[in-house]
Amino acid sequence: MTFTYSSLRTRVVFGPGAARTRLVDEVDRLEATRVLVVAGEAEMPLARELAAPLGERVVGWFDDVRQHVPVACAEAARAMARETRADLVLSVGGGSTTGTAKAVALTDSLPVLAVPTTYAGSEMTNVWGLTEAGRKTTGVADVVAPRTVVYDPELTVGLPADLSAASGMNAMAHCVEAVWGPGANPVTDLMALEGVAALRRGLPGVLADGHDVDARSDVLYGAWLSGTAFAAAGSGLHHKTCHVLGGAFDLPHAAMHAVVLPHVLAFQVPALGERAARLGRALGDEADPVGALVRLDDAIGIPAGLRDVGLAEADLDEAVRLVAEKVADGAIPNPRPIGHADVDALVRAAWAGRPATTADENAGAGA
Ligand code: NAD
């Protein structure tokens, strides 16, 4: 056994009510005296409530948060951080909000304290992303990884059912990809498979009753593990494919990941060996991990295909071309060689709907 495992230095505080009872202590711990609060307009009332005990230590409120962090928004947040001489960025919100805080950390080296309200997992990674003129750039820098994350499942109670399902399956995609990511190792496996099991356990309960804090806790715990495992294992076929599709066709991030995942898993399964059975066990069906994933998608109302999340049929040829350019013919390390014809089959199948079972999908992909 030979591997390298790097962990980030993020401190995690987890528990129902933690954002209301532990936040001030955590700000103290970071010795921050000038806090810039970042939250989207919709989450700003929550952020104001959570930050109220900090009193005059809050020196700015930044609410121009947008998906994929346009450079103009990042620049505005950085300018506010400098004008207010902030020494900590407190982000309250989903992946877009965390991403905005990371953009400030990237250039100004400010520590970030993240309070996530979705299952995006960005708070546990050192990956940043910015968009300019429709082009998304991502990079890796430890300085953007939040110093502290306060996970409070009660904050996710208001996340609507469709967003909860999509965001939860976005976390699932981090876990599943961590099983074969370029840096996968026995430690990331542990976290990824525990994350898969927690998400599978919690998501149906969240969809049955959005106020079920135990189910919300399971899913948020899974989201934490998903980000941690993904940060160490790195991006592979699934995320590279989604990165291309999301960037080129402006598809909704979480739902697109949820839709594409069973297709990528179906393609990988023949090359995963024992890892497929372990994934299957975590998903509740050792013999058929793809079938288990599809049944979970069905149960929680994930859209069937990319055509249901905004990819036009007329764009399919271009989608195949762009994805193939990024992932086919040895462009990325992958457990199973992937050629142009495989990409063509995968993207078209993901557009049309779900794979039925592992066996069906392998036949369809020409395996
Ligand atoms: P998001 O942050 O854009 O939020 C989606 C919507 O949910 C918004 O309208 C927001 O107002 C709303 N919302 C958030 N929390 C809510 C709550 N508790 N109740 C009700 N509504 C709520 O979406 P996301 O899926 O969390 O994040 C997607 C972004 O994160 C993408 O830009 C993606 O690239 C990025 N991301 C980055 C990483 C990374 O490692 N860098 C990882 C995952 C995602």
Side-chain angles (χ1 to χ4, degrees), residues 21-34:
T21 57
R22 304 283 298 276
L23 197 60
V24 175
D25 286 349
E26 293 305 320
V27 171
D28 288 345
R29 202 184 157 90
L30 293 169
E31 298 178 354
T33 56
R34 304 184 64 79

Side-chain angles (χ1 to χ4, degrees), residues 88-121:
L88 176 73
V89 184
L90 169 63
S91 68
V92 179
S96 302
T97 308
T98 311
T100 307
K102 283 176 161 181
V104 177
L106 182 66
T107 49
D108 293 60
S109 300
L110 290 187
V112 174
L113 192 167
V115 183
T117 62
T118 71
Y119 308 121

Side-chain angles (χ1 to χ4, degrees), residues 319-348:
V320 169
R321 190 185 69 75
L322 292 171
V323 174
E325 199 174 88
K326 185 90 174 177
V327 305
D329 303 324
I332 57 163
N334 197 54
R336 182 177 168 192
I338 179 159
H340 192 283
D342 299 311
V343 171
D344 191 274
L346 193 152
V347 171
R348 288 180 200 282

Side-chain angles (χ1 to χ4, degrees), residues 43 68 94-96 117-118 120 122 125 127 136 155 158-159 163 253:
E43 281 71 57
H68 305 311
S96 302
T117 62
T118 71
S122 171
T125 82
V127 180
K136 184 163 181 177
L155 303 187
L159 196 61
L163 277 179
H253 180 86

